[in-house]
Amino acid sequence: MPGRNFLFIPGPTNVPQRIRNAMAIEQEDMRAIDFPKFTLPLFEDLKKIFKTKSSRVFIFPSSGTGGWEAAVTNTLSPGDKVLMSGFGHFSNLWIDLCQRHALDVQALEVDWGEGVPVEQYADILKKDKDKKIKAVFATHNETATGVTSDVPAVRKALDDAKHPALLFVDGVSSVASIDFRMDEWNVDLCVSGSQKGFMLPTGLGIVCASQKALEARKSAKLYRTFFSFDDMITANDNGYFPYTPATIFLRGLRESVNMLLEEGLENVFKRHNRMATAVRKAVEAWGNSAKGIRLVAKEPKWHSDTVSAIYVPEGFDGNEVVRHAYKHYNLALSVSLAKIAGKAFRIGHLGDMNEMMILAPITGAEMAMKDLGIPVQLGSGVAAAQEYLCSTKTNRLA
Ligand SMILES: *Cc1c(COP(=O)(O)O)cnc(C)c1O
C-alpha cells in the first residue's frame, strides 16, 4: 500500500531517521578494549536527561516493566510496607507487581482522570509515626488516562512528615518529554524505558537510582539476578555489562541522547506542551458539536503533555474509532484500556513530533468519528489546532 502508516500511540513512538541510521550497523564485541570509551560517556550523559549529578543510571535489556522490577527488587524486602495509588492501567500494574513481590501494599484507589492523591499521602505519612512505610510510589504520567501527577508535591509530603521512605517514580512516559528532576525533587528511583520519550524501539529498561536507593540495596532482601544492581555496578564501573548488552540499542540510545541534548531539554518539554495543547484545542472544539467528547483528565492540572485520552459520547465505542482509523486511514490511534475500555481513545503525542505530524491524528480521528456517526463537525478540531499552532509558531531556522 502506498504512503505510510501514521503512528500516534504513546509508545512505541516514531523512531527518527537519525536513530534508525545509528542502529543500522554491524554487531560489535561488547568486551572490546574501546567499548568503555563509548559506554562511560553514555552513562554520564544519561544523567543529564534525568537531571541528576549524584545518582546512577542502569540500562537493562528489558522493557519498562523490567525497570519496575529492578527498582523494587534491589531496594526492598518481602513484607515491607509501601504506599501506592492506582488511577489507570499502568499505576495498577505497578501495584500488582509489588503485590506479587510480597510487599505489604497500601494501594489507594483514585478516580481515573485524577493522579497521585497527594493530600492523602501527606496524611498517611504524618500518621506513620513509627516510619513503617519503606517506600512511596508515584506514577508521574499515567499513560492510560493522560494524567500527569505532581511529583514535587509528593516529595514535599515526605519532607513535611520528616519521613525517610524511598520515593519511587514511574517516568516511563514522562522522562525525556515532560520535565523531570531527579536531584531537585529528591527522587530515589525513577524508571523509564526506550520506546517513549527516548524515541527508540522497545527493548531497554532505564532506571535511575539515588545514593540513598543504592545504600538501601545492601539490606534489601528481595531476590534479583538478571536485574541485580550489584552485578551491574561491578561491570558498569569499568564500562562493561554483566551479560550481553543490547549493543545496537545502546548505539541508538547514544543518538537519542545526542538529539535530546542538541535540542535542549527545556525546548523538548516546550515542544511537547505545544503538541499536546494543539490536541487539547481540537478536543475542546469537537466537544462543541459532539457533547460528551472530552479529556479523561479531569482538570487542567492533570493534563499530560505526552498522551491524551479522549472520551467519546455515550453510546459510541472509542476502540471502534481506533479500529476504523486503522482500517480506512492507515492511522494508528491508541485504544482505551481496562476500566475505561471502549469509552475513550488515545492520541500519543510524544517523541519525534512536529506541527504537521500532530495534525494527522487530529484529522484522522475526526474522519473516523464522523464515519461512525459521532456528530463532530469535520474540520473543527483541525481548525482549532491550526489556530493555536499558527499563533505560537517559532522560526526553526532562527
Ligand atoms: C509503557 C509504560 C509502562 C510499561 O512499560 P513497558 O515498556 O510496556 O514494559 C509502565 N508505565 C508507564 C507509565 C508506561 O507508559
Side-chain angles (χ1 to χ4, degrees):
M1 224 217 293
R4 60 174 303 170
N5 173 255
F6 281 71
L7 183 71
F8 291 89
I9 63 172
T13 63
N14 294 282
V15 180
Q17 189 65 47
R18 259 180 79 174
I19 293 182
R20 281 184 278 165
N21 288 347
M23 295 177 78
I25 52 169
E26 300 288 349
Q27 296 299 321
E28 64 187 298
D29 178 6
M30 72 292 185
R31 302 188 205 282
I33 49 173
D34 60 352
F35 197 58
K37 262 211 298 214
F38 162 63
T39 54
L40 294 174
L42 177 60
F43 283 123
E44 276 313 301
D45 285 342
L46 269 172
K47 285 159 67 171
K48 296 178 190 159
I49 307 294
F50 286 89
K51 296 194 176 170
T52 184
K53 288 206 159 68
S54 57
S55 308
R56 176 166 195 130
V57 180
F58 296 96
I59 309 170
F60 295 100
S62 76
S63 74
T65 304
W68 277 345
E69 186 155 333
V72 167
T73 55
N74 279 284
T75 57
L76 296 169
S77 301
D80 274 357
K81 197 170 156 75
V82 300
L83 178 59
M84 306 184 77
S85 48
F87 38 82
H89 187 61
F90 294 95
S91 44
N92 282 338
L93 282 176
W94 209 10
I95 289 171
D96 177 62
L97 182 138
C98 288
Q99 287 167 339
R100 292 203 221 174
H101 280 288
L103 298 175
D104 175 10
V105 181
Q106 179 173 9
L108 307 180
E109 250 191 78
V110 179
D111 270 358
W112 288 36
E114 298 175 14
V116 175
V118 177
E119 285 94 46
Q120 260 178 289
Y121 271 25
D123 198 44
I124 291 167
L125 289 167
K126 266 196 203 111
K127 288 187 179 134
D128 183 32
K129 299 277 183 233
D130 303 332
K131 315 296 186 207
K132 285 260 167 35
I133 297 169
K134 294 290 179 246
V136 172
F137 288 65
T139 298
H140 190 194
N141 188 76
E142 173 50 78
T143 315
T145 57
V147 162
T148 300
S149 284
D150 189 348
V151 176
V154 178
R155 175 77 263 164
K156 188 170 181 304
L158 280 157
D159 290 348
D160 287 351
K162 298 199 169 44
H163 205 294
L166 294 167
L167 175 55
F168 282 62
V169 172
D170 176 341
V172 180
S173 62
S174 63
V175 170
S177 31
I178 294 173
D179 195 9
F180 173 80
R181 308 177 189 189
M182 187 81 184
D183 284 1
E184 192 180 319
W185 301 347
N186 220 340
V187 172
D188 292 300
L189 289 133
C190 178
V191 177
S192 193
S194 52
Q195 79 274 24
K196 299 188 181 171
F198 284 103
M199 306 174 286
L200 289 159
T202 317
L204 297 178
I206 305 169
V207 180
C208 192
S210 72
Q211 288 304 322
K212 185 170 151 190
L214 294 174
E215 198 54 36
R217 88 182 190 281
K218 293 173 185 162
S219 54
K221 295 202 169 51
L222 279 170
Y223 295 120
R224 62 267 183 183
T225 47
F226 183 79
F227 288 115
S228 165
F229 281 178
D230 280 301
D231 296 351
M232 272 291 180
I233 289 170
T234 305
N236 285 174
D237 276 348
N238 299 313
Y240 296 102
F241 289 81
Y243 39 75
T244 320
T247 51
I248 298 279
F249 275 85
L250 296 180
R251 294 288 172 182
L253 182 61
R254 176 70 265 178
E255 196 62 24
S256 157
V257 170
N258 289 350
M259 289 177 74
L260 291 165
L261 296 178
E262 277 168 31
E263 184 177 356
L265 280 181
E266 304 315 309
N267 293 329
V268 171
F269 304 148
K270 261 190 239 152
R271 177 168 54 80
H272 278 82
N273 175 263
R274 192 153 162 267
M275 298 300 122
T277 307
V279 171
R280 292 193 279 262
K281 296 280 183 196
V283 172
E284 201 184 314
W286 291 335
N288 290 336
S289 51
K291 289 278 165 280
I293 295 189
R294 63 182 199 284
L295 290 173
V296 173
K298 282 188 185 166
E299 287 177 63
K301 70 169 178 177
W302 303 121
H303 285 174
S304 163
D305 283 347
T306 57
V307 52
S308 296
I310 301 155
Y311 281 123
V312 293
E314 238 169 277
F316 293 96
D317 184 344
N319 290 348
E320 191 54 36
V321 173
V322 177
R323 287 190 285 269
H324 187 91
Y326 188 75
K327 191 155 80 180
H328 295 283
Y329 303 121
N330 207 354
L331 166 67
L333 301 167
S334 189
V335 293
S336 48
L337 304 163
K339 206 158 133 183
I340 56 166
K343 295 192 171 139
F345 68 91
R346 294 178 293 157
I347 298 177
H349 33 77
L350 73 164
D352 186 39
M353 190 73 56
N354 64 17
E355 287 87 352
M356 291 305 108
M357 288 171 82
I358 199 60
L359 288 169
I362 298 173
T363 309
E366 216 164 68
M367 289 156 74
M369 286 193 284
K370 181 199 170 264
D371 287 345
L372 294 171
I374 299 175
V376 284
Q377 182 76 43
L378 270 192
S380 62
V382 178
Q386 285 172 321
E387 286 286 357
Y388 170 74
L389 291 170
C390 288
S391 70
T392 57
K393 64 182 165 299
T394 54
N395 179 355
R396 73 188 180 91
L397 302 179

